[in-house]
Amino acid sequence: MIEDDAAARLTAVRAEIARAAATAGRKADDVSLIAVSKTHDAPAIRPLIAAGQRHFGENRVQEAEAKWPALRDETSDLVLHLVGQLQSNKAEAAVALFDAIHSVDRPSLIAALARAMDKAGRRPYCFVQVNIGGEPQKGGCPVADLPTLLAGARVADLPVAGLMAVPPLDVEAAPYFALLAKLARDHGLSGLSMGMSGDYRTAVTLGASHVRVGTALFGDRT
Ligand SMILES: *Cc1c(COP(=O)(O)O)cnc(C)c1O
């Protein structure tokens, strides 16, 4: 049964988070599990909601607009996170739909989000995404630009909760998580959105406040 699978996977991931938190002397409650449901349809998502999951993540505005209004009509207390790159021309749609935006990474997007938030009277909390591995193909601001970008976000009155990163594939993630945690500390930010299916345990031991887990909850994306 899909339902049983989903509930069992959720229980397993929650147990892993609790175990990792305990080894680091942290409380499991201080870690928000975001179920990244991109590419999965409502019938795949509902069993997780039924099992008590409330935070969900999507990486594309249009896909989220097609799925989530109906799911929200069924369950009112869902929290929706945008974890993928955001084009400035989709800022209004993103602000209207999401409760948190994890991919703030450039001044033009800060300006577009600030305008959209003022217009909508709604202020989703934001994470500034850092290109922690300096990879040209990836989103996120260069580490060197972070102080200027954070200052710009403050001036624009964006509610910045913390930092987000996706470390390079196929190498040990821990040093990148540790660096992101240090950058957050240096800037007085407590939010740390880091860790995916392959490395969320490591991320929790290094201070993640939000882990973004897809495959370990939903199975492979086709
Ligand atoms: C898809 C995605 C995830 C989840 O990845 P899994 O490896 O399936 O857990 C997390 N963060 C971002 C930014 C993603 O795009």
Side-chain angles (χ1 to χ4, degrees):
M1 288 294 290
I2 294 179
E3 285 78 4
D4 295 346
D5 282 0
R9 285 174 174 149
L10 180 61
T11 301
V13 169
R14 289 204 177 283
E16 292 289 325
I17 289 171
R19 198 183 344 247
T23 64
R26 304 186 60 208
K27 285 184 280 187
D29 284 355
D30 292 341
V31 182
S32 295
L33 170 61
I34 301 171
V36 179
S37 49
K38 65 190 186 198
T39 77
H40 299 289
D41 58 11
I45 294 169
R46 280 197 192 94
L48 280 185
I49 297 174
Q53 178 64 25
R54 288 296 178 268
H55 289 255
F56 288 87
E58 291 284 342
N59 71 334
R60 298 175 61 198
V61 175
Q62 258 178 319
E63 182 183 340
E65 280 178 323
K67 282 194 286 202
W68 286 95
L71 288 165
R72 272 187 163 150
D73 283 345
E74 300 167 9
T75 308
S76 62
D77 59 344
L78 300 176
V79 183
L80 203 51
H81 299 254
L82 177 63
V83 301
Q85 287 186 48
L86 178 59
Q87 294 167 265
S88 296
N89 64 7
K90 300 240 172 77
E92 276 194 32
V95 164
L97 183 65
F98 290 95
D99 302 295
I101 296 173
H102 292 239
S103 48
V104 177
D105 64 356
R106 57 196 189 278
S108 57
L109 181 58
I110 289 174
L113 284 170
R115 268 197 309 276
M117 287 183 195
D118 287 343
K119 195 166 158 190
R122 187 170 193 280
R123 308 191 88 71
Y125 59 99
C126 296
F127 291 82
V128 170
Q129 184 177 353
V130 182
N131 188 342
I132 201 77
E135 298 173 282
Q137 78 283 11
K138 258 193 195 155
C141 77
V143 171
D145 294 356
L146 182 61
T148 310
L149 204 65
L150 283 172
R154 216 159 283 142
V155 168
D157 207 19
L158 286 202
V160 175
L163 303 182
M164 179 275 210
V166 181
L169 281 177
D170 301 328
V171 295
E172 180 55 48
Y176 296 100
F177 292 155
L179 174 57
L180 194 72
K182 183 191 181 309
L183 291 169
R185 262 196 317 278
D186 289 350
H187 290 283
L189 295 166
S190 58
L192 273 177
S193 170
M194 59 186 196
M196 305 170 35
S197 288
D199 53 22
Y200 69 91
R201 301 167 191 84
T202 306
V204 168
T205 65
L206 291 168
S209 64
H210 294 70
V211 292
R212 310 177 309 266
V213 177
T215 309
L217 291 171
F218 290 99
D220 286 332
R221 288 180 289 273
T222 46

